[in-house]
Amino acid sequence: QVPTVLADATAIHQIIMNLGTNAWHAMKEKSGRLTVELVAMDVGDDFAADHPDLHPGSYVRLSVGDTGTGMDRATLERIFEPFFTTKPPGEGTGLGLAVVHGIMKSHEGGISVDSRLGEGTTFHLYFPAIATAEVPAPGALASIPNGKGERILMVDDEEPLAFLSRKALERLG
């Protein structure tokens, strides 16, 4: 079991989707293996000195790795730059890893990357553990507020999602 972290579930979903998509791109020419691992980790002074975004203490490390094409040193130095991409036009915006980097900064965590050409890449994401987790008692959660007849313009390019959103909003008034 790993310690509790204070993290936004949507942001974690976005991280995993971005890293998973990048892994798929790296392995699409030749099938490979995608691994996801979650472990508790104590960061000591030496490790923190090598990773400036981290401080000594308890962390939860989320690792996402693939056995794809890997990256060279020049590419590794630029991967978190907005709009930097190695993908052909139409296959990527170059924003995925910049978003992951921003999410980790907002969670006061850090990232390290291990990559070797022809062998694959592993991203290690470090989330600070919290000492205690306060779980709201059943019934203590706030109820979802109902609308008072306001109008909302909701746009989505996927018709099923637009339909579901409309139904949910209608139920809430």
Side-chain angles (χ1 to χ4, degrees):
Q1 184 171 338
V2 296
T4 301
V5 299
L6 187 58
D8 179 287
T10 303
I12 302 305
H13 179 262
Q14 192 166 18
I15 286 172
I16 292 173
M17 292 304 294
N18 277 317
L19 295 179
T21 300
N22 285 352
W24 173 78
H25 277 279
M27 297 186 296
K28 74 179 186 177
E29 298 298 321
K30 185 178 86 173
S31 64
R33 181 180 302 157
L34 172 67
T35 57
V36 179
E37 179 184 45
L38 193 64
V39 297
M41 181 175 176
D42 286 322
V43 170
D45 292 330
D46 293 340
F47 193 84
D50 291 339
H51 299 82
D53 291 331
L54 304 180
H55 306 286
S58 294
Y59 286 81
V60 172
R61 184 184 74 198
L62 170 64
S63 298
V64 179
D66 65 66
T67 57
T69 56
M71 295 178 275
D72 60 23
R73 176 64 48 203
T75 301
L76 278 171
E77 290 175 5
R78 299 191 59 201
I79 59 174
F80 297 117
E81 292 177 17
F83 305 108
F84 174 76
T85 183
T86 58
K87 297 177 184 115
E91 286 194 28
T93 61
L95 290 175
L97 291 178
V99 167
V100 170
H101 186 263
I103 291 170
M104 292 310 297
K105 285 280 192 193
S106 72
H107 284 80
E108 299 180 13
I111 305 173
S112 66
V113 185
D114 298 324
S115 188
R116 293 181 187 223
L117 275 174
E119 295 181 25
T121 302
T122 301
F123 286 84
H124 301 286
L125 300 103
Y126 304 90
F127 293 89
I130 57 174
T132 61
E134 290 186 27
V135 178
L141 298 174
S143 64
I144 298 174
N146 284 325
K148 296 177 180 74
E150 299 92 349
R151 297 208 177 266
I152 296 174
L153 174 62
M154 206 302 274
V155 179
D156 199 303
D157 62 346
E158 293 188 42
E159 192 173 333
L161 291 179
F163 175 79
L164 288 173
S165 297
R166 185 180 113 224
K167 289 296 184 189
L169 289 169
E170 285 174 349
R171 269 196 303 267
L172 294 172

